[in-house]
Amino acid sequence: LAKTTQPISMDSYEGQEVNITCSHNNIATNDYITWYQQFPSQGPRFIIQGYKTKVTNEVASLFIPADRKSSTLSLPRVSLSDTAVYYCLVGAFSSGSARQLTFGSGTQLTVLP
Amino acid sequence: GAVVSQHPSRVICKSGTSVKIECRSLDFQATTMFWYRQFPKQSLMLMATSNEGSKATYEQGVEKDKFLINHASLTLSTLTVTSAHPEDSSFYICSARGQEVTDTQYFGPGTRLTVL
């Protein structure tokens, strides 16, 4: 299992860029890295997914170094509504088992005014 | 695209009764669906994986006779909590993955189960 480690919590102020790093030292060759956002009493929402280098979409960027043992989710100019728990998920369906898709503890991001 | 719905959003039942939760993929065919359970202030715990037309695969420690999963079609999976007890009270979330999306699972909004 590609166990993930994230900071338990982070605080930021509105308008700042927030970077959340996830460690996954035993990531497998065919594993993807996916980040989700979860608000209380809601299902996780897909943010971004990547395999290597950098991926950017309309809400975030994902930076993955060459060794792929970590990844960093970057949220530009956060607002109060970005206060949520962010999960890093590492695994691959192609390996034939969802057991590799284990959620870590997540990072509680609190955006302050 | 990639919308997953769950019904009901919340349910309250008496101890000993059974509760069925539906999970539907609305705009794609879900070859694989997953069921998770989440307790307050905790992360999601995978309960089982279901593939359309075959038996579900349960995670260690999850009683298959208590949590019945049926994935009868490419857009519907159901989780039935049989003989529910207060300790089964939790937030149940399903997710789905289809052939059209790559290594990504999309989650439903969750179902809050309270057993009295």
Side-chain angles (χ1 to χ4, degrees), chain A residues 32 36 38 49 93 98 104, chain B residues 34 38 43 57 102-105:
Chain A
Y32 280 78
Y36 292 89
Q38 187 181 30
Q49 182 183 74
F93 293 99
Chain B
F34 307 90
Q38 186 175 35
S43 184
T57 302
T102 59
D103 286 309
T104 303
Q105 51 181 321

Side-chain angles (χ1 to χ4, degrees), chain A residues 22-111:
Chain A
C22 178
S23 297
H24 28 81
N25 290 321
N26 58 341
I27 187 170
T29 302
N30 56 353
D31 284 347
Y32 280 78
I33 300 160
T34 311
W35 284 81
Y36 292 89
Q37 175 193 56
Q38 187 181 30
F39 297 110
S41 297
Q42 294 186 26
R45 183 177 75 97
F46 172 84
I47 301 174
I48 197 167
Q49 182 183 74
Y51 183 80
K52 61 179 179 180
T53 62
K54 177 184 175 182
V55 180
T56 298
N57 62 22
E58 62 276 11
V59 298
S61 295
L62 178 60
F63 299 92
I64 305 169
D67 65 6
R68 303 200 329 123
K69 292 183 183 299
S70 67
S71 59
T72 299
L73 173 71
S74 180
L75 304 172
R77 299 179 298 281
V78 295
S79 63
L80 296 177
S81 61
D82 292 318
T83 294
V85 177
Y86 291 82
Y87 291 100
C88 155
L89 191 63
V90 175
F93 293 99
S94 56
S95 300
S97 170
R99 289 179 176 80
Q100 297 199 30
L101 301 170
T102 303
F103 278 84
S105 59
T107 298
Q108 171 67 58
L109 171 65
T110 302
V111 180

